[in-house]
Amino acid sequence: MVRMFKSKKGQYDIARKSIFWMIAGVVITITVLAFAMILSIYQGEVSTVPAEYEAKLTALRFVNTAECFTYQDLVTGRIESGVIDIDKFTQERLDDCYRSDSERGYSSFNFGLSLVGFDAIDVDSGEEKILMTNNFFNKVDFTLRFPVIVRSGSEEFSTQLLVFVQEGI
Amino acid sequence: MKKIFGGKKGVQILFIVFELLIVLFVIFTLVKIAESYGSTTGTQKAILSKDLKMMVDTLVATPGDVVVEYPGDVSSYQFHLFQDHILVALYDEDKGFGISNYFSLPKGYKATGSVMESEKLCFVKQNTNMLLSNCV
């Protein structure tokens, strides 16, 4: 071994091997990390649920739950799914119905709601105001449409509830 | 032994052995990583957690009282329902290794309950109270 270190060819061989293993070490590390990442991404894809499906399940509460906007008969207590009580359609009610986490909420679903023909008008701009959840920043990824009946006093009107969905920022 | 490793050929043999060891180590590492991802428990926990989160949303949107049984044998897992998230972990695992999925309940709703080492899992909604429990 000492002879190898003394001869020029031996020194050249050792230097060559050292450089090779330095580069190979880096390449092997990158390969192993890339392999682990690919498997992790695949694992995530296997358990993915379409965003529209998940958002719709969450948004169903707006038209089916008395704690949100759904009309509830005060006498019988019966909840009428698909019927919106216009007196309940307020920002305060939406805040009580759905509130994303104040710290993490920007990464979860947030919603903007518009009841076609029944939105409040902004006094300054004259435009229709939509109701928004606490972390909704007007980034609309897709829109859900629910055909609903609006009850105002004893009158009923057929319209649509538009739910603008923000998936996450 | 001195003759084997003393000469140039001996050093080359040493290098070959070293390279073989490195290759074996890399193969072993890759197989171990694939094995850990290939085991179904990690993916299954993620799927269960997501499923139960969507179940909570569905129950919130369902008027009246509801009892729902989650299909399948879930005896290998433990489940914990909190006010803002559901946690799923293996039955013999620390909760810190579990997977959580967050949800938002309307004001006035309460969510609670734990299920461990039970084949069946049931969600019970009574008025504004949601309870995770063993199926009776």
Side-chain angles (χ1 to χ4, degrees), chain A residues 75-89:
Chain A
V75 174
T76 61
R78 197 177 74 168
I79 298 164
E80 296 187 21
S81 294
V83 180
I84 304 275
D85 184 344
I86 195 63
D87 295 330
K88 287 186 182 179
F89 197 71

Side-chain angles (χ1 to χ4, degrees), chain A residues 18-32, chain B residues 22 26:
Chain A
S18 305
I19 292 167
F20 169 75
W21 279 111
M22 260 177 9
I23 296 168
V26 170
V27 169
I28 287 167
T29 308
I30 292 169
T31 307
V32 169
Chain B
I22 296 280
V26 168

Side-chain angles (χ1 to χ4, degrees), chain A residues 5-66:
Chain A
F5 282 113
K6 278 189 175 171
S7 75
K8 268 196 176 167
K9 198 165 181 254
Q11 286 171 0
Y12 173 75
D13 270 343
I14 284 165
R16 195 169 56 125
K17 289 276 184 187
S18 305
I19 292 167
F20 169 75
W21 279 111
M22 260 177 9
I23 296 168
V26 170
V27 169
I28 287 167
T29 308
I30 292 169
T31 307
V32 169
L33 289 174
F35 185 64
M37 216 164 66
I38 287 167
L39 289 178
S40 171
I41 290 167
Y42 173 73
Q43 190 185 57
E45 280 177 6
V46 163
S47 57
T48 294
V49 173
E52 289 85 352
Y53 180 71
E54 210 180 324
K56 190 153 192 175
L57 286 180
T58 310
L60 272 174
R61 66 180 67 184
F62 299 136
V63 296
N64 285 331
T65 307

Side-chain angles (χ1 to χ4, degrees), chain A residues 97-114:
Chain A
C97 168
Y98 182 88
R99 189 168 192 84
S100 54
D101 185 78
S102 47
E103 287 174 10
R104 282 183 308 264
Y106 57 87
S107 62
S108 62
F109 287 120
N110 280 278
F111 304 99
L113 273 65
S114 170

Side-chain angles (χ1 to χ4, degrees), chain B residues 53-125:
Chain B
K53 182 256 178 192
M54 290 192 293
M55 201 176 259
V56 168
D57 282 332
T58 307
L59 289 183
V60 165
T62 308
D65 296 344
V66 184
V67 176
V68 178
E69 181 181 307
Y70 188 82
D73 180 2
V74 294
S75 53
S76 308
Y77 303 91
Q78 53 174 307
F79 305 86
H80 303 274
L81 181 63
F82 299 97
Q83 189 63 20
D84 64 347
H85 70 281
I86 178 95
L87 174 75
V88 179
L90 290 174
Y91 77 95
D92 56 353
E93 197 176 50
D94 188 72
K95 279 189 216 172
F97 293 102
I99 292 179
S100 292
N101 240 288
Y102 289 83
F103 50 78
S104 169
L105 295 176
K107 191 177 177 181
Y109 273 64
K110 287 185 175 54
T112 186
S114 290
V115 171
M116 284 185 270
E117 291 183 74
S118 171
E119 262 188 48
K120 295 288 177 192
L121 170 74
C122 274
F123 254 111
V124 181
K125 182 193 169 206

